[in-house]
Structures are given as C-alpha cells and as structure tokens.
Amino acid sequence: LRNAGPGRGDPVEPVPDRRRLMPSAVPATKAAILTVLAAKAGLAGVRLEWGAPTKDEDYVAASGQNLELVFFGDSDESSDSAELGTGRRVEEYSLAMTVFVEMWGDDPQATEERVRAVWDEVEDALRDDLRAAPSTLRSAGALQFNRITRRVSTGPSTSEKWGARLDATVEFQARNV
C-alpha cells in the first residue's frame, strides 16, 4: 500500500500486484459477442441472451410470431502455465452457444433450415468482427477462434409448432487485456 497524499490521515491506495493473474477473458468475450450479434442486421428480431432461458415464459414469442433465441452455455477453459508468473493470461477456451427456433405449422424442414440460417449469421458476425479494425472481440481479448462443432436436433415443440436447436462449441484463443 502507498499513501495517496502527503498527510498522515490521507487515504491509502493499493499498489497493483503484478504477481496476480489477470482475470479470464471469457466474460469479456461473451459480452463482446452479444454486442457484435446485436449489430448484425441478419439477426434483427432474434433474442440474444447471456444464459439459457429458465422458465416456460422465457420461450414465448409475440402472438403469432416464431421464436428465435441465441444464448450461451458452459465454457471449458485452460491457461498457459508459462504465463502464470507474468500476470498476463493466455487462454484457450471452448464456449457453448445455442440457437433455438420454434415455428408455427407443420414444417420440420423449414424449422431446421431457419436454425441453420440463424447460426450462419452468428458465425459470419464472429468472422467479420475478427477481420475488422477495430474489432470488438479483439478488444475483449479474443485473438481468434480455431474450430466450431455443431449438433442440430429438430422435433415437435408443441402440438402446433416445430422446434430446432443448434448447439455449437466455439474454440477461442485469447489474451487478457
């Protein structure tokens, strides 16, 4: 600790501890992804959420409208141990993202095609941002993403609707900023 001012009773401010590891870039990357997706014209009308819906009413769209959601799931993270003494953190992490679409009618093909179209917009937004200067994702610490895996499932959601869910895992490399 060091004194903030010349007098004895002045407040004391902490000295930064360079031995402490910087925080993970995962929360900043998630916030940056939401910002990037909110700006993507092809995702207008798609609800963007930090986490999965928790109640039935979270899955309700406006009357007569189809429901389209993008939200985050779990993350698996690892840090380079060589960086531990520097206070900086180089990370690799997998971030789960889900696209959920629920459509009125009896057309499972259209529902699956729509969930894939929404995901394509998400993936394009991530790629476009990382190529941009300035990049919202790079400002949050994300350097690149390496691999994306996807799993799609489609089935009846209610007696009058079909639902499709695309669960993706995006593998990022990041450095805290």
Side-chain angles (χ1 to χ4, degrees), residues 47-112:
R47 275 192 10 223
L48 308 172
E49 303 287 343
W50 187 275
T54 57
K55 300 177 185 173
D56 287 344
E57 62 260 18
D58 293 339
Y59 284 99
V60 176
S63 180
Q65 299 293 311
N66 294 327
L67 175 64
E68 299 178 344
L69 295 167
V70 175
F71 56 87
F72 295 113
D74 296 336
S75 61
D76 294 314
E77 309 165 32
S78 64
S79 297
D80 184 352
S81 61
E83 298 288 328
L84 293 178
T86 66
R88 305 239 354 123
R89 180 191 301 242
V90 175
E91 294 178 287
E92 291 185 2
Y93 52 89
S94 298
L95 183 57
M97 296 179 69
T98 296
V99 175
F100 178 78
V101 171
E102 188 178 66
M103 295 176 69
W104 289 94
D106 192 20
D107 193 346
Q109 180 180 349
T111 308
E112 181 175 331

Side-chain angles (χ1 to χ4, degrees), residues 122-143:
V122 169
E123 197 170 326
D124 287 348
L126 297 177
R127 286 184 203 287
D128 292 347
D129 183 77
L130 283 171
R131 292 178 182 145
S135 162
T136 302
L137 290 168
R138 286 188 194 282
S139 295
L143 303 174

